[in-house]
Amino acid sequence: MTNHLHDLVLSRTMAASSAALWRCWTEPQLLERWFCPKPWFVTDARIDLTPGGEFACTMNGPGGEKFPSLGVVLAAEPGKRLVTTDAFKPGWIPSDRAFLTTEITLEDQGDGTTLYTATARHWSDEAKQEHEAMGFHEGWGAAGVQLEALAQTL
């Protein structure tokens, strides 16, 4: 997919199958094991892969911080593509604060590796800049390392 003006993108080849990476993204008990860079961690993950289904979790910080995230699945192509957004709550209820749409693509490379691309598409330049300042590249990069390590164990 073409990058848009307000996108932040992490793309790298991972030494894991697309099937294993897909499981890590779509099985709540696995998502909780890698989704935030340590020492942060995730609890209460809920994933319903039907369009409009819930995609939610709570990100927890080492100092007791809690950041609940609630959104919906827009598209799910098993083993290939997952698109979620916080623009809606389950039931297609508009969110109070839409921040981004996330698109994950997985492309098997034929040698046991997968081209993994995570795109964070923001509604505005301000939201993109806020996400960059929060540490998008470092945080999503560290989480990507954790994702790859977990996928290698499956």
Side-chain angles (χ1 to χ4, degrees):
M1 181 164 272
T2 305
N3 289 349
H4 296 277
L5 181 63
H6 306 305
D7 288 359
L8 293 172
V9 179
L10 171 72
S11 186
R12 60 180 279 225
T13 299
M14 293 192 171
S17 70
S18 61
L21 293 166
W22 179 259
R23 286 186 59 201
C24 291
W25 263 99
T26 61
E27 295 179 21
Q29 70 278 13
L30 294 176
L31 186 90
E32 290 180 355
R33 293 175 53 190
W34 71 268
F35 195 66
C36 288
K38 295 186 186 320
W40 287 73
F41 62 98
V42 167
T43 57
D44 306 314
R46 297 177 308 281
I47 303 167
D48 174 354
L49 292 176
T50 57
E54 184 175 28
F55 191 92
C57 67
T58 300
M59 292 174 266
N60 301 271
E65 307 93 332
K66 290 191 178 292
F67 293 96
S69 174
L70 177 62
V72 298
V73 170
L74 296 175
E77 299 170 38
K80 298 180 191 253
R81 182 170 169 256
L82 177 65
V83 183
T84 66
T85 187
D86 62 1
F88 294 98
K89 298 175 188 176
W92 299 111
I93 299 168
S95 175
D96 298 335
R97 182 177 187 261
F99 185 65
L100 62 85
T101 294
T102 301
E103 179 177 28
I104 304 303
T105 59
L106 306 169
E107 297 176 39
D108 274 319
Q109 300 300 292
D111 59 358
T113 65
T114 302
L115 177 59
Y116 170 82
T117 304
T119 303
R121 184 159 291 134
H122 302 84
W123 302 112
S124 67
D125 194 49
E126 294 77 24
K128 176 186 173 185
Q129 289 177 15
E130 178 184 346
H131 202 181
E132 277 185 302
M134 288 168 48
F136 168 83
H137 298 286
E138 299 81 7
W140 284 43
V145 169
Q146 294 168 181
L147 166 63
E148 181 179 29
L150 177 59
Q152 290 171 344
T153 69
L154 301 179

